[in-house]
Amino acid sequence: MNLHLRKATINDLPAIQSLCNELGEQSAGFDAELSTTWASNHEGEKYYRERLMGKDGFVLIAEESEEILGFISTTIHSPDTWRLTKRVEVDNIFLKDAHRGKGVGKKLIHEVKKWSREIQANRIFLTAFFQNKKAIAFYEREGFIPYELTLEIDLKKSE
């Protein structure tokens, strides 16, 4: 595999939106109320345009022979009154099915760790669906540990 990682540009926006929508479709199995086309709506496009311009984060592309295999997108969280440290959030990470389990995700995470150190962030965090055991196992292999727990109640299913 001749893998190349690079910072995404504005020209990559349509491909990133398409991959993120694919991520949404796969994630809908964990959350039926999830917008599977968020990346293509006004809010999603604004988010990605800001990251592609380097505002508050960045997007990294994994490609081979000019074919985009996947991406990772991040947001920088500056210290604030309730959390006194600079942190980086992995907002989205997605690889096409055929490229999973080949070390591509590991390399994307490694580059985010490297970049986070360069910008002097102290922590990296992400959110995963509790039922997504494969993703959680991958994140744990990459050094992420459970830190917070979000609990939710579906009022349509409860009394």
Side-chain angles (χ1 to χ4, degrees):
M1 175 178 273
N2 188 16
L3 180 68
H4 175 68
L5 300 181
R6 65 174 174 81
K7 188 174 177 183
T9 69
I10 198 68
N11 294 333
D12 296 312
L13 179 61
I16 292 166
Q17 288 174 300
S18 177
L19 289 170
C20 191
N21 288 340
E22 196 173 330
L23 170 62
E25 289 171 17
Q26 290 183 9
S27 298
F30 302 118
D31 183 349
E33 296 175 343
L34 188 68
S35 170
T36 59
T37 59
W38 171 83
S40 297
N41 72 25
H42 176 73
E43 182 182 320
E45 183 171 333
K46 179 178 183 266
Y47 163 84
Y48 279 112
R49 283 187 179 278
E50 289 174 353
R51 296 310 171 282
L52 293 170
M53 292 186 302
K55 183 178 179 185
D56 300 327
F58 84 116
V59 180
L60 191 63
I61 295 283
E63 64 184 358
E64 181 180 46
S65 303
E66 297 184 24
E67 176 195 358
I68 295 177
L69 312 179
F71 75 101
I72 192 167
S73 61
T74 66
T75 297
I76 300 168
H77 293 269
S78 296
D80 56 33
T81 57
W82 73 277
R83 199 67 189 265
L84 304 176
T85 189
K86 185 180 203 178
R87 301 174 301 144
V88 169
E89 179 175 8
V90 173
D91 298 313
N92 295 292
I93 180 171
F94 182 74
L95 295 172
K96 293 178 182 177
D97 287 342
H99 305 287
R100 294 182 184 166
K102 297 180 178 179
V104 179
K106 180 181 188 78
K107 288 180 180 174
L108 287 169
I109 292 289
H110 173 78
E111 287 301 312
V112 168
K113 288 177 183 178
K114 181 178 161 186
W115 173 78
S116 297
R117 286 183 185 101
E118 289 171 5
I119 65 164
Q120 298 178 340
N122 293 327
R123 293 183 177 265
I124 301 171
F125 70 101
L126 53 79
T127 303
F129 288 106
F130 179 76
Q131 306 95 321
N132 194 346
K133 303 299 184 196
K134 283 185 175 182
I136 292 169
F138 165 72
Y139 298 136
E140 288 178 340
R141 283 192 306 273
E142 295 310 308
F144 290 87
I145 59 170
Y147 186 74
E148 295 179 337
L149 175 65
T150 301
L151 302 171
E152 185 174 289
I153 187 168
D154 185 341
L155 294 174
K156 291 179 276 177
K157 295 181 179 179
S158 68
E159 293 183 42

PDB file of all heavy atoms in Angstrom, residues 77-87:
ATOM      1  N   HIS A  77     -10.349  22.946  21.010  1.00  0.00           N
ATOM      2  CA  HIS A  77     -11.094  23.537  22.114  1.00  0.00           C
ATOM      3  C   HIS A  77     -10.097  24.246  23.023  1.00  0.00           C
ATOM      4  O   HIS A  77      -9.246  23.596  23.638  1.00  0.00           O
ATOM      5  CB  HIS A  77     -11.854  22.470  22.898  1.00  0.00           C
ATOM      6  CG  HIS A  77     -12.949  21.830  22.113  1.00  0.00           C
ATOM      7  ND1 HIS A  77     -14.238  22.305  22.122  1.00  0.00           N
ATOM      8  CD2 HIS A  77     -12.945  20.767  21.275  1.00  0.00           C
ATOM      9  CE1 HIS A  77     -14.978  21.555  21.330  1.00  0.00           C
ATOM     10  NE2 HIS A  77     -14.216  20.619  20.803  1.00  0.00           N
ATOM     11  N   SER A  78     -10.193  25.560  23.067  1.00  0.00           N
ATOM     12  CA  SER A  78      -9.295  26.350  23.912  1.00  0.00           C
ATOM     13  C   SER A  78      -9.694  26.203  25.374  1.00  0.00           C
ATOM     14  O   SER A  78     -10.850  25.869  25.674  1.00  0.00           O
ATOM     15  CB  SER A  78      -9.375  27.824  23.516  1.00  0.00           C
ATOM     16  OG  SER A  78      -8.905  27.984  22.194  1.00  0.00           O
ATOM     17  N   PRO A  79      -8.750  26.467  26.279  1.00  0.00           N
ATOM     18  CA  PRO A  79      -9.115  26.444  27.700  1.00  0.00           C
ATOM     19  C   PRO A  79     -10.270  27.409  27.959  1.00  0.00           C
ATOM     20  O   PRO A  79     -10.380  28.445  27.309  1.00  0.00           O
ATOM     21  CB  PRO A  79      -7.840  26.928  28.401  1.00  0.00           C
ATOM     22  CG  PRO A  79      -6.740  26.650  27.442  1.00  0.00           C
ATOM     23  CD  PRO A  79      -7.350  26.810  26.068  1.00  0.00           C
ATOM     24  N   ASP A  80     -11.136  27.022  28.867  1.00  0.00           N
ATOM     25  CA  ASP A  80     -12.251  27.904  29.227  1.00  0.00           C
ATOM     26  C   ASP A  80     -12.482  27.814  30.734  1.00  0.00           C
ATOM     27  O   ASP A  80     -11.685  27.227  31.451  1.00  0.00           O
ATOM     28  CB  ASP A  80     -13.511  27.575  28.426  1.00  0.00           C
ATOM     29  CG  ASP A  80     -13.944  26.118  28.561  1.00  0.00           C
ATOM     30  OD1 ASP A  80     -13.739  25.527  29.629  1.00  0.00           O
ATOM     31  OD2 ASP A  80     -14.511  25.587  27.596  1.00  0.00           O
ATOM     32  N   THR A  81     -13.567  28.373  31.195  1.00  0.00           N
ATOM     33  CA  THR A  81     -13.789  28.445  32.638  1.00  0.00           C
ATOM     34  C   THR A  81     -14.060  27.092  33.273  1.00  0.00           C
ATOM     35  O   THR A  81     -13.798  26.907  34.453  1.00  0.00           O
ATOM     36  CB  THR A  81     -14.954  29.390  32.965  1.00  0.00           C
ATOM     37  OG1 THR A  81     -16.125  28.931  32.276  1.00  0.00           O
ATOM     38  CG2 THR A  81     -14.637  30.815  32.554  1.00  0.00           C
ATOM     39  N   TRP A  82     -14.561  26.133  32.517  1.00  0.00           N
ATOM     40  CA  TRP A  82     -14.872  24.834  33.124  1.00  0.00           C
ATOM     41  C   TRP A  82     -13.834  23.771  32.785  1.00  0.00           C
ATOM     42  O   TRP A  82     -13.726  22.763  33.475  1.00  0.00           O
ATOM     43  CB  TRP A  82     -16.275  24.360  32.726  1.00  0.00           C
ATOM     44  CG  TRP A  82     -16.383  23.901  31.311  1.00  0.00           C
ATOM     45  CD1 TRP A  82     -16.565  24.666  30.201  1.00  0.00           C
ATOM     46  CD2 TRP A  82     -16.294  22.556  30.842  1.00  0.00           C
ATOM     47  NE1 TRP A  82     -16.588  23.893  29.074  1.00  0.00           N
ATOM     48  CE2 TRP A  82     -16.433  22.574  29.441  1.00  0.00           C
ATOM     49  CE3 TRP A  82     -16.111  21.324  31.463  1.00  0.00           C
ATOM     50  CZ2 TRP A  82     -16.389  21.440  28.654  1.00  0.00           C
ATOM     51  CZ3 TRP A  82     -16.076  20.186  30.664  1.00  0.00           C
ATOM     52  CH2 TRP A  82     -16.223  20.260  29.288  1.00  0.00           C
ATOM     53  N   ARG A  83     -13.072  23.966  31.710  1.00  0.00           N
ATOM     54  CA  ARG A  83     -12.031  23.002  31.333  1.00  0.00           C
ATOM     55  C   ARG A  83     -10.772  23.802  31.051  1.00  0.00           C
ATOM     56  O   ARG A  83     -10.697  24.499  30.053  1.00  0.00           O
ATOM     57  CB  ARG A  83     -12.481  22.221  30.109  1.00  0.00           C
ATOM     58  CG  ARG A  83     -11.741  20.936  29.876  1.00  0.00           C
ATOM     59  CD  ARG A  83     -12.059  19.920  30.980  1.00  0.00           C
ATOM     60  NE  ARG A  83     -11.233  18.760  30.916  1.00  0.00           N
ATOM     61  CZ  ARG A  83     -11.568  17.632  30.301  1.00  0.00           C
ATOM     62  NH1 ARG A  83     -12.713  17.527  29.701  1.00  0.00           N
ATOM     63  NH2 ARG A  83     -10.742  16.626  30.315  1.00  0.00           N
ATOM     64  N   LEU A  84      -9.797  23.709  31.909  1.00  0.00           N
ATOM     65  CA  LEU A  84      -8.660  24.621  31.928  1.00  0.00           C
ATOM     66  C   LEU A  84      -7.498  24.198  31.035  1.00  0.00           C
ATOM     67  O   LEU A  84      -6.379  24.657  31.223  1.00  0.00           O
ATOM     68  CB  LEU A  84      -8.168  24.794  33.373  1.00  0.00           C
ATOM     69  CG  LEU A  84      -9.228  25.283  34.365  1.00  0.00           C
ATOM     70  CD1 LEU A  84      -8.665  25.314  35.771  1.00  0.00           C
ATOM     71  CD2 LEU A  84      -9.750  26.653  33.958  1.00  0.00           C
ATOM     72  N   THR A  85      -7.751  23.358  30.061  1.00  0.00           N
ATOM     73  CA  THR A  85      -6.677  22.874  29.196  1.00  0.00           C
ATOM     74  C   THR A  85      -7.116  22.908  27.733  1.00  0.00           C
ATOM     75  O   THR A  85      -8.299  22.782  27.429  1.00  0.00           O
ATOM     76  CB  THR A  85      -6.258  21.439  29.605  1.00  0.00           C
ATOM     77  OG1 THR A  85      -5.099  21.080  28.903  1.00  0.00           O
ATOM     78  CG2 THR A  85      -7.345  20.434  29.352  1.00  0.00           C
ATOM     79  N   LYS A  86      -6.154  23.081  26.868  1.00  0.00           N
ATOM     80  CA  LYS A  86      -6.408  23.044  25.430  1.00  0.00           C
ATOM     81  C   LYS A  86      -6.575  21.590  25.008  1.00  0.00           C
ATOM     82  O   LYS A  86      -5.751  20.733  25.350  1.00  0.00           O
ATOM     83  CB  LYS A  86      -5.237  23.686  24.686  1.00  0.00           C
ATOM     84  CG  LYS A  86      -5.434  23.823  23.203  1.00  0.00           C
ATOM     85  CD  LYS A  86      -4.179  24.480  22.616  1.00  0.00           C
ATOM     86  CE  LYS A  86      -4.449  25.145  21.317  1.00  0.00           C
ATOM     87  NZ  LYS A  86      -3.225  25.811  20.814  1.00  0.00           N
ATOM     88  N   ARG A  87      -7.655  21.308  24.270  1.00  0.00           N
ATOM     89  CA  ARG A  87      -7.950  19.945  23.845  1.00  0.00           C
ATOM     90  C   ARG A  87      -8.275  19.924  22.360  1.00  0.00           C
ATOM     91  O   ARG A  87      -8.725  20.911  21.803  1.00  0.00           O
ATOM     92  CB  ARG A  87      -9.158  19.391  24.606  1.00  0.00           C
ATOM     93  CG  ARG A  87      -8.972  19.362  26.100  1.00  0.00           C
ATOM     94  CD  ARG A  87     -10.225  18.946  26.839  1.00  0.00           C
ATOM     95  NE  ARG A  87     -11.330  19.845  26.553  1.00  0.00           N
ATOM     96  CZ  ARG A  87     -12.602  19.463  26.439  1.00  0.00           C
ATOM     97  NH1 ARG A  87     -12.937  18.212  26.612  1.00  0.00           N
ATOM     98  NH2 ARG A  87     -13.546  20.332  26.183  1.00  0.00           N
TER      99      ARG A  87
END
